[in-house]
Amino acid sequence: SSGINAEWPLRPGSLWMPKLSKFGTLLAEFDSNNGWVHGVKFSPSGNLLAWVAHDSSVNLVNSANLEKVHTVLTSNLPYMCLLWLSEACFVAAGHNMAPDLYYGSDDGIVFGSKLDVKKEKASTGNMSAMARFQKLDVQGSTETEGTTLTTTHANCITEIRSIGTANNKVTKFSTSGKDGQVVVWEVDSICSAIAGLKI
């Protein structure tokens, strides 16, 4: 279940508004998940509603057609929270320890990209045969293989917050998690790091 707070009220033109005649009114009820709901958010216009559930699903419904719930079952661990960056896309994060971008519309949900990408070190490319064999020897004998985290967060992300907006779009957001970190993500920097990404 979800409530509407004073931080982001629904716009007067939203199709949900006629149902809000009094406090505590049930807006809609959906039976589309095999797990409890972790996070629920309205789009900036208030017409789209997205939620993430414990069955690793991402769900979307348009207020103009409440009978059609779009659901994507991901192969990720469950998401805990989400944030709309614009009317067309939102970020979800949780037990996978990294924010993921999804595009949402009346037609459904499409996965966009994993947003926590590391810049790889440029290799010199001029490695001698001896150095190459020494590197392979060291890599083959390591005992910590597969234990290095590739994400900025080291534990579950529990909250995503908008900390900067421009032209009805989020330009900067933060994530916080059970690892005690608060990480600030700049949308322009993310777009420049991931080729072809549009937010």
Side-chain angles (χ1 to χ4, degrees):
S1 79
S2 177
I4 299 171
N5 62 26
E7 286 180 21
W8 198 357
L10 290 173
R11 296 186 182 185
S14 170
L15 296 174
W16 299 99
M17 289 308 289
K19 297 179 181 182
L20 289 174
S21 58
K22 63 179 183 172
F23 181 75
T25 302
L26 178 66
L27 296 178
E29 192 171 3
F30 307 103
D31 186 20
S32 62
N33 299 94
N34 293 324
W36 54 89
V37 173
H38 287 299
V40 179
K41 292 283 187 208
F42 286 99
S43 67
S45 70
N47 291 332
L48 298 174
L49 177 67
W51 68 94
V52 291
H54 197 69
D55 62 353
S56 297
S57 67
V58 180
N59 305 274
L60 180 76
V61 68
N62 188 327
S63 59
N65 184 7
L66 298 179
E67 303 301 317
K68 180 63 178 162
V69 176
H70 301 283
T71 301
V72 172
L73 290 173
T74 70
S75 59
N76 298 327
L77 292 170
Y79 293 120
M80 297 293 292
C81 50
L82 65 138
L83 172 72
W84 285 88
L85 299 181
S86 69
E87 187 64 26
C89 63
F90 59 90
V91 173
H95 291 283
N96 61 338
M97 301 181 287
D100 292 337
L101 179 72
Y102 285 89
Y103 297 103
S105 69
D106 298 339
D107 299 326
I109 308 167
V110 176
F111 176 76
S113 177
K114 188 176 193 79
L115 299 183
D116 190 1
V117 293
K118 304 283 185 203
K119 292 183 179 176
E120 295 185 17
K121 295 178 184 175
S123 63
T124 58
N126 297 333
M127 186 182 291
S128 69
M130 175 128 177
R132 185 173 294 135
F133 283 114
Q134 286 175 335
K135 181 180 176 188
L136 289 173
D137 183 42
V138 170
Q139 286 178 341
S141 64
T142 183
E143 293 180 11
T144 60
E145 187 174 325
T147 60
T148 304
L149 288 175
T150 60
T151 58
T152 303
H153 280 282
N155 206 329
C156 175
I157 295 173
T158 56
E159 186 71 33
I160 306 174
R161 298 245 176 181
S162 169
I163 56 175
T165 59
N167 302 324
N168 295 325
K169 293 184 177 182
V170 173
T171 57
K172 191 184 293 189
F173 64 93
S174 67
T175 55
S176 60
K178 292 183 178 181
D179 58 358
Q181 292 188 71
V182 175
V183 180
V184 175
W185 307 84
E186 292 191 25
V187 174
D188 288 341
S189 298
I190 294 169
C191 287
S192 65
I194 302 172
L197 184 68
K198 293 182 181 178
I199 297 179

